[in-house]
Amino acid sequence: MTTVLIPGGAGFIGSHTVRALQTSGFESIILDNLSNGHKSSIPENSLFIEGDIQNRALLDEIFTQHKIDAVIHFAAFIEAGESVVNPLAFYSNNTGGTLCLLEAMTEHGIRPIVFSSTAAVYGQQETVATLSEDLPKKPINPYGESKWAVECMLRDTAATGALDAIALRYFNAAGSDPEGKTGELHDPETHLIPLVLQAASGKRSSIKVFGTDYGTPDGTCIRDYIHVCDLASAHVKALEHLLALGSTKGFYDAFNLGTGNGFSVRAVIESAKRVTGTDFAVVEEGRRAGDPAVLVADSSKARKHLGWEPLYPSLDDMVAHAWNFLKDR
Ligand SMILES: NC(=O)c1ccc[n+]([C@@H]2O[C@H](COP(=O)([O-])OP(=O)(O)OC[C@H]3O[C@@H](n4cnc5c(N)ncnc54)[C@H](O)[C@@H]3O)[C@@H](O)[C@H]2O)c1
Ligand SMILES: O=c1ccn([C@@H]2O[C@H](COP(=O)(O)OP(=O)(O)O[C@H]3O[C@H](CO)[C@@H](O)[C@H](O)[C@H]3O)[C@@H](O)[C@H]2O)c(=O)[nH]1
């Protein structure tokens, strides 16, 4: 059986991917320091190691004691706004932590890695409606920079023949496992959809709209929301792609993952009101630092080369699945 090390597997997207890997017959070993993840998100029958990707001795122990065939790497700090306030923490954990992981992988001869990159590597592109992979990388926040630096490390190391790597540039992860086994449990929560749903359930008195003066049709930021189960299936496809290469020459490529549909902050709020049948207060605030106005994916490359297709492209479905998980928490 193929065994995959999953740093960050106790988090939102990682825990959904562990389940998708199980369904596809892979074995997972989860490494997570629980800084933002939850033991309760991990399926019972997977091996969990509590620890940090920056702990090189622990990585050596894991790679020596277990037969690891590949790595799917989610472990990172994730809030773009917070990265503007605390950039060094993001460079240290996201870039420094991944450097430690890559050094350990290459020394132990483990080649395939799927990496969680982000739409934030594109920053604000002026002239294009949807973002394709080859556009210039112009992050406008340290979070995006910290992830782009990792992509450069992967590209350059693959060029030496030491790694086979795929960077998946997700747009905005949303939704929840439709069976309700796992979901989004960030603490503190900063993401729009779960915060709107907290307003819908009365856990917070209102939802704030960060910026109403962007150059978009309703003045609020537009994002491409992608169901977390569709992200999970893309990881399985990317892993299978790497494992099928059988090459020792080194491989690197990057793929966008989104639906290609952009929704404004106001559209997300309307969806939540529709799906939950509730009404709640909406408070207009100033812009949040580090937010591009529009991020919408061209994901045709992933569809073509990975054979990936999102199964849940509807925003209302994503909001409804998130609501199923969050409404009683
Ligand atoms: N959520 C999104 O919309 C989104 C979009 C694009 C990219 N991403 C990327 O996807 C990945 C997963 O995001 P998520 O939403 O599941 O976040 P998450 O916070 O739920 O998961 C990240 C996990 O990594 C763990 N972690 C962090 N630093 C660690 C370290 N040094 N050592 C070990 N474990 C560590 C956390 O405890 C957490 O369980 C991240 O790399 C993020 O940058 C997320
Ligand atoms: O209370 C809130 C929270 C968010 N927003 C806005 O909603 C949009 C989406 O914000 P959020 O849900 O925080 O996601 P992003 O900042 O777009 O970042 C997410 O999506 C990126 C990819 O696009 C990932 O890289 C990041 O890790 C992930 O946090 C932004 O315009 C925010 O300003 C509000 O108006 N009010």
Side-chain angles (χ1 to χ4, degrees), residues 1-278:
M1 193 179 256
T2 305
T3 302
V4 189
L5 181 70
I6 320 263
F12 173 43
I13 305 167
S15 62
H16 284 82
T17 302
V18 170
R19 285 183 162 76
L21 287 167
Q22 275 186 341
T23 307
S24 298
F26 292 97
E27 193 158 316
S28 301
I29 299 178
I30 293 150
L31 171 65
D32 199 300
N33 64 6
L34 299 181
S35 56
N36 286 306
H38 305 270
K39 248 182 170 165
S40 59
S41 299
I42 301 169
E44 275 164 19
N45 45 356
S46 29
L47 179 58
F48 170 59
I49 300 168
E50 185 170 345
D52 200 296
I53 53 167
Q54 305 201 51
N55 182 344
R56 178 57 201 268
L58 175 63
L59 293 176
D60 286 337
E61 197 181 306
I62 293 170
F63 288 135
T64 307
Q65 287 183 356
H66 301 273
K67 189 191 136 309
I68 308 280
D69 300 293
V71 175
I72 303 183
H73 171 35
F74 298 94
F77 293 150
I78 69 166
E79 305 92 353
E82 171 65 18
S83 77
V84 178
V85 180
N86 203 354
L88 293 182
F90 280 70
Y91 284 111
S92 170
N93 199 38
N94 297 2
T95 315
T98 306
L99 174 62
C100 183
L101 177 67
L102 296 181
E103 284 174 343
M105 280 180 68
T106 51
E107 280 176 37
H108 289 267
I110 294 150
R111 303 176 54 85
I113 176 166
V114 181
F115 169 64
S116 300
S117 189
T118 166
V121 300
Y122 296 112
Q124 186 59 61
Q125 309 271 337
E126 296 306 330
T127 53
V128 286
T130 56
L131 303 168
S132 58
E133 287 83 355
D134 50 357
L135 285 168
K137 310 307 171 296
K138 307 193 285 190
I140 62 165
N141 52 58
Y143 167 72
E145 293 283 9
S146 75
K147 291 279 181 171
W148 174 238
V150 171
E151 285 204 37
C152 295
M153 292 196 287
L154 293 173
R155 178 199 63 199
D156 297 344
T157 312
T160 71
L163 280 179
D164 300 315
I166 287 180
L168 295 176
R169 296 182 189 144
Y170 332 147
F171 285 61
N172 288 54
S176 220
D177 162 36
E179 290 173 19
K181 288 186 181 140
T182 181
E184 187 164 12
L185 287 172
H186 297 126
D187 185 19
E189 188 52 79
T190 61
H191 292 96
L192 180 63
I193 291 179
L195 289 177
V196 172
L197 293 176
Q198 287 180 7
S201 69
K203 280 195 199 80
R204 66 180 53 236
S205 56
S206 63
I207 182 71
K208 294 176 180 166
V209 177
F210 295 142
T212 55
D213 59 347
Y214 287 96
T216 58
D218 70 14
T220 67
C221 287
I222 292 178
R223 294 289 181 272
D224 182 337
Y225 294 89
I226 174 77
H227 197 290
V228 65
C229 291
D230 288 328
L231 290 179
S233 71
H235 287 80
V236 176
K237 300 263 186 202
L239 177 65
E240 288 171 344
H241 190 86
L242 290 177
L243 293 174
L245 286 173
S247 97
T248 50
K249 289 188 185 149
F251 174 89
Y252 171 75
D253 210 347
F255 298 90
N256 288 339
L257 298 176
T259 66
N261 301 314
F263 293 96
S264 70
V265 173
R266 291 193 206 280
V268 170
I269 292 169
E270 287 314 309
S271 170
K273 289 186 176 178
R274 201 163 46 237
V275 165
T276 64
T278 63

